Amino acid sequence: MNVPKPTLGRALAEAADKADELAKFRNEFVFGEENVIYLDGNSLGRLTKKGRAQILKTADQEWGSGLIRSWGESWLSLPRTVGDKIAKLIGAKESEVLVSDSTSVNLFKLATAALKLRSRKVILTVADNFPSDLYILKGVGDLQIMPNIEALLDNLNEETAIVSLAHTCYKTGRIHDMRLITEAAHKAGAFVIWDISHSVGVIPLQLDNCFVDMAVGCTYKYLNGGPGSPAFLFVREEMIAHMENPIQGWFSHADPFQFKQEFEAAAGIERFLTGTPPILSMAALEPALDLILEAGIDRLRKKSFLLTEYVIALAHERLTKYGVEVVSPAEAGQRGSHVSFMHADAWQLSQALIEHGVVPDFREPNILRIGLAPIYTSFVEVYDAITMLENILANKLHSNYSVARSGVS
Ligand SMILES: *Cc1c(COP(=O)(O)O)cnc(C)c1O
């Protein structure tokens, strides 16, 4: 008789879910009728029940009934009050964080403002930085793209104005050493701007303790703010008064509703606002942040470790024999909350998975990303998803799918 190896069987996943102190948070999320296994929370987080209720409240009560009075009631202060909650997650002071615009626009604002403080023009980054960041930085200064961090550190010199990096790499999930790189940049007299889009909400960050100058990040990934929820920016307190927002509008003004002809920048972080904040787009974010804060960033990180560890173990046991290569770091401390697989047919595999009720995502040219949102992803979901992928590979089901790319992934 063939005794099945119990090592990584489903019972193990069930036991892990039973022991999971964050399991109850799943109940706080909306699960659509199809009940898909959703492994793309690193691209677009799930909808929270409280966020959904707040969207309806903002529409019906605040806008529908309150009309313009709601600006004074709650809307005007939202970029700061929501920013205060993000500050708690990233090791910043409340006065240092603001919710506004998109990550790309915020990066433009901060990089431009930082360059204005220096006669230097060189911005250093690495090749696997997020493409939008590369485009923005290229438009702002003399961008030099290094092949890796070692080369970047070697090339820091008296011409470097800014080092700008994504803290967790979107492709591989590798985390950069924030403290070490920030310190090295400062030694060379350069500023750092960290993009923490793929870290916030799953990795405890200590921007203040690492002496980070500036940071930006997005809120619709692990923070579950919803499609197009505005991004945030961070500026170290003592720098705020010295920095000029390159897109100064009425909301950057010290007193926007005086309608003065002369511009006078707000004293605080509000100077980085520009126009009217997107209230409807921000509605679901605050209740979603409350959940992340309640779950606790250290517990989320711990579960994220276990989930990524589990995916990698399952992959080695079941997938590598079909040509799947794990390209995320083997060492848990160097990983964010997604695991990336490389496979020649990654696109077709992603399409086959989606049709079989598992939603991962795909990044060109051959990366399949398994995003693990510790606040709502269960171990059983991971087990079932990897089992499905194994089944697809073993039976070559993906060969029925076209190599032609389509849609958003
Ligand atoms: C998702 C992401 C962004 C998003 O940029 P937007 O301008 O908000 O669309 C930016 N940077 C990184 C590293 C990201 O992962």
Side-chain angles (χ1 to χ4, degrees):
M1 198 176 75
N2 253 340
V3 182
K5 261 203 196 136
T7 47
L8 293 172
R10 199 169 194 271
L12 192 76
E14 283 165 5
D17 283 333
K18 260 212 179 112
D20 174 16
E21 49 184 359
L22 298 181
K24 62 174 188 202
F25 284 93
R26 256 174 92 77
N27 225 346
E28 298 285 341
F29 288 82
V30 172
F31 286 81
E33 281 167 21
E34 307 167 76
N35 238 337
V36 294
I37 298 181
Y38 190 65
L39 300 174
D40 206 0
N42 55 318
S43 253
L44 175 67
R46 276 187 179 276
L47 172 62
T48 65
K49 289 179 182 168
K50 288 189 177 114
R52 183 176 180 278
Q54 185 60 46
I55 289 171
L56 297 176
K57 181 169 175 247
T58 302
D60 292 339
Q61 292 177 32
E62 297 174 11
W63 180 15
S65 301
L67 291 162
I68 200 162
R69 291 168 292 186
S70 293
W71 278 112
E73 297 278 320
S74 59
W75 291 350
L76 267 184
S77 53
L78 270 182
R80 279 294 304 273
T81 50
V82 179
D84 290 351
K85 292 189 170 168
I86 295 174
K88 291 194 175 84
L89 287 175
I90 62 177
K93 297 187 198 67
E94 293 186 345
S95 53
E96 296 173 321
V97 181
L98 182 74
V99 173
S100 74
D101 303 296
S102 63
T103 314
S104 306
V105 170
N106 289 335
L107 180 62
F108 172 82
K109 289 177 175 177
L110 296 185
T112 305
L115 277 187
K116 230 176 163 177
L117 297 176
R118 288 278 194 273
S119 51
R120 311 167 174 198
K121 284 280 165 278
V122 172
I123 304 176
L124 286 186
T125 190
V126 291
D128 64 6
N129 194 355
F130 193 67
S132 189
D133 291 25
L134 298 179
Y135 310 152
I136 293 285
L137 296 170
K138 188 143 207 292
V140 164
D142 173 7
L143 182 65
Q144 298 185 5
I145 303 174
M146 301 291 127
N148 52 44
I149 289 295
E150 292 69 37
L152 183 145
L153 293 173
D154 280 348
N155 278 277
L156 273 171
N157 59 39
E158 64 293 336
E159 289 180 2
T160 316
I162 300 172
V163 171
S164 185
L165 294 167
H167 181 243
T168 302
C169 173
Y170 78 104
K171 263 196 180 168
T172 60
R174 180 178 293 280
I175 299 173
H176 291 309
D177 188 331
M178 181 177 276
R179 187 183 298 274
L180 182 140
I181 296 167
T182 301
E183 209 174 280
H186 287 168
K187 265 202 191 120
F191 292 120
V192 289
I193 309 179
W194 285 99
D195 185 334
I196 53 178
S197 292
H198 262 92
S199 304
V200 64
V202 284
I203 302 175
L205 295 163
Q206 300 201 309
L207 297 192
D208 281 337
N209 282 343
C210 293
F211 301 101
V212 169
D213 304 295
M214 288 156 274
V216 294
C218 106
T219 62
Y220 51 77
K221 292 173 179 158
Y222 296 114
L223 296 185
N224 308 311
S229 60
F232 63 90
L233 59 83
F234 158 93
V235 180
R236 185 148 53 93
E237 197 168 41
E238 56 269 35
M239 292 183 62
I240 295 172
H242 304 288
M243 294 183 63
E244 276 179 37
N245 179 354
I247 327 178
Q248 54 192 31
W250 63 321
F251 275 75
S252 340
H253 199 283
D255 203 346
F257 298 98
Q258 287 295 319
F259 296 95
K260 294 210 179 97
Q261 200 170 348
E262 291 302 312
F263 180 77
E264 186 197 333
I269 191 87
E270 289 90 343
R271 67 174 48 202
F272 287 103
L273 286 172
T274 296
T276 308
I279 301 302
L280 293 176
S281 296
M282 228 186 307
L285 178 54
E286 190 169 8
L289 278 167
D290 287 337
L291 281 183
I292 296 278
L293 287 166
E294 192 190 332
I297 193 68
D298 291 325
R299 287 200 299 179
L300 289 165
R301 178 62 170 154
K302 207 169 107 199
K303 182 172 171 192
S304 159
F305 265 166
L306 296 176
L307 286 166
T308 54
E309 203 72 11
Y310 186 44
V311 167
I312 292 173
L314 284 168
H316 285 309
E317 190 179 87
R318 297 163 180 220
L319 306 178
T320 48
K321 60 182 165 236
Y322 299 109
V324 169
E325 190 187 332
V326 178
V327 291
S328 298
E331 147 79 58
Q334 291 178 13
R335 279 199 307 269
S337 208
H338 67 275
V339 174
S340 299
F341 296 153
M342 200 155 79
H343 190 279
D345 305 327
W347 167 258
Q348 289 124 296
L349 289 172
S350 73
Q351 296 309 297
L353 278 169
I354 290 168
E355 210 164 288
H356 287 86
V358 178
V359 181
D361 81 6
F362 166 79
R363 285 293 172 262
E364 292 287 358
N366 54 5
I367 303 269
L368 187 69
R369 293 193 307 185
I370 306 295
L372 304 150
I375 197 160
Y376 55 73
T377 305
S378 71
F379 290 88
V380 163
E381 280 181 311
V382 167
Y383 179 85
D384 289 347
I386 299 297
T387 304
M388 181 60 75
L389 182 54
E390 178 188 22
N391 180 37
I392 290 168
L393 284 160
N395 295 295
K396 299 198 168 55
L397 302 179
H398 57 290
S399 60
N400 300 329
Y401 294 82
S402 159
V403 295
R405 317 291 202 243
S406 60
V408 172
S409 68

